Amino acid sequence: MIDTFDLVIRHADVVTAADRFTCDIGVRDGVIAALGRNLAGGAREIDASGLLALPGGVDGHCHLDQPMPDGLRMADDFFTGTRAAVCGGTTTVIPFAAQEKGGSLRAAVDDYHRRAEGRAVVDYGFHLIVADPTEKVLREELPQLIREGYTSFKIYMTYDDLKLSDREILEVLSVAREHGALVMVHAENSDCIAWLTDKLVGQGRIAPKFHGLARPAAVEREATHRAITFAELVDVPILIVHVSGKEAIGQIRWAQGRGMQILAETCPQYLYLSAEDMNHPGDDGYAGAKCVCSPPPRDADNQEAVWKALKQGVFSVFSSDHAPFNYEDPQGKKPGGKPQSFEHIPNGIPGIETRLPLLFDGVRHGRLSIHQFVELTSYRPARLYGLYPRKGTIAVGADADIVLWDPEVRTTIRNAQLHHAVDYTPYEGREVIGWPVHCFSRGEQLVASGQYLAPAAGRGRFLPADAPSLV
Ligand code: URP
Ligand code: ZN
Ligand code: ZN
């Protein structure tokens, strides 16, 4: 007898952004071919009783093998980064092809494809980073790249090697409006940070904890407001990325309340880390470098504000902002191999594998509904970044990117058990309830009972993006 399906997942408690139902899932040629009771046989069958079947996570903000200045190096490439992603329930990643100042955007994209090919374990798209919006970039490269499926790009209001002037931001937003792309904004005021940094360093206050004092909430609030103003002038939606707390949230609520399409993203570090973590006693206080990211983690009040805004729908997406630098590494958190002044610590922390378990734990503690979880981590990023309905849901015709969660299992996060190539996790020792135990990408099982099955590197495919769907 010929099997009807390649794979049947039986008795699945399916949860999407909108629905919950129990059925069998039939998969053929990597695609969900049927949802129903008592489906015919599959070449492989798995019993999902007691587990939740969720669409695979879409991580719409992570950094993998991104070329770095000044002798820095990211610890994760497309192989280790996507391996860690799938072990944490994420089956699609969207990292950044970053233009260098003075360089071509097209060259950055071509280079980034070379870095991904033969390495990625799950499917991936690219955002662009526009660091040098010359006439050629604005009039030729960007429009052509948008047509080819790179429909979202990040711009920076800080970092000397990346930041744009206000005028340049307006020019980039205009191109996005004309060609239907989505701009993601890193909103922090560069001059304020430089001034505060110089003052702190001049006073000899150089430990990692001073990173937070150099980037206070007001600096993020001002830039968030300015970005919103630019979006208003150009009349184009924008997405404010990695929002850290109540000051920036206040600006976003204000804009949304005026009917503007100001979208927002937050990340696990703003729920689970605080300024105190940058004041870690280990390694003479320098171990706080493990939590240095921008904007910086703030305090308990701000964590509460982020949880509340997540529940109330202020945020559209919840991403990792995985920025993988080793701690014990001259090319990582200890540039030059020795503790450094905070201004030289590379910004960013790892989190691609822990993103979903940390938020799922919030669901188990009543912070969010399970539908909100799916919406923030899979459905909305798939829609915003032009991958829906292929990704972001469990429906007939969608890719069979399915994650079976054990909602009861308790796990203590230990770096030794994670699958990234970073030598630490900022969440070491934290217990979470719920873990993704079986993960399928286009119907192929990559994780079974929590064990990584070591599929062929390079099986992950590039996904050209359609136009963003903002709702
Ligand atoms: O500190 C951070 N967030 N590093 C990663 C790069 C970025 O700005 O997202
Ligand atoms: Zn950023
Ligand atoms: Zn980032």
Side-chain angles (χ1 to χ4, degrees), residues 14 19 32-33 63 74 78 120 151 181 224 236 239 243 267 317 382 428-429:
V14 174
D19 297 311
I32 298 174
H63 304 267
M74 288 199 164
F78 274 83
T151 60
T224 302
V236 68
L239 171 76
V243 172
C267 315
V317 285
E428 186 75 32

Side-chain angles (χ1 to χ4, degrees), residues 61 63 154-156 159 185-188 241-242 294-295 321:
H61 183 160
H63 304 267
K154 185 173 176 188
I155 58 171
Y156 286 78
Y159 298 131
V185 184
H186 179 131
E188 289 184 295
V241 293
H242 43 49
S294 291
D321 194 9

Side-chain angles (χ1 to χ4, degrees), residues 46-108:
I46 180 164
D47 182 4
S49 302
L51 306 174
L52 295 178
L54 270 47
V58 177
D59 194 342
H61 183 160
C62 53
H63 304 267
L64 302 176
D65 200 10
Q66 192 174 309
M68 288 283 114
D70 301 337
L72 295 176
R73 187 185 60 87
M74 288 199 164
D76 278 316
D77 67 6
F78 274 83
F79 172 60
T80 59
T82 55
R83 175 181 70 186
V86 72
C87 290
T90 290
T91 51
T92 303
V93 298
I94 316 178
F96 297 84
Q99 182 196 18
E100 276 176 50
K101 282 204 192 286
S104 124
L105 198 48
R106 168 70 66 185

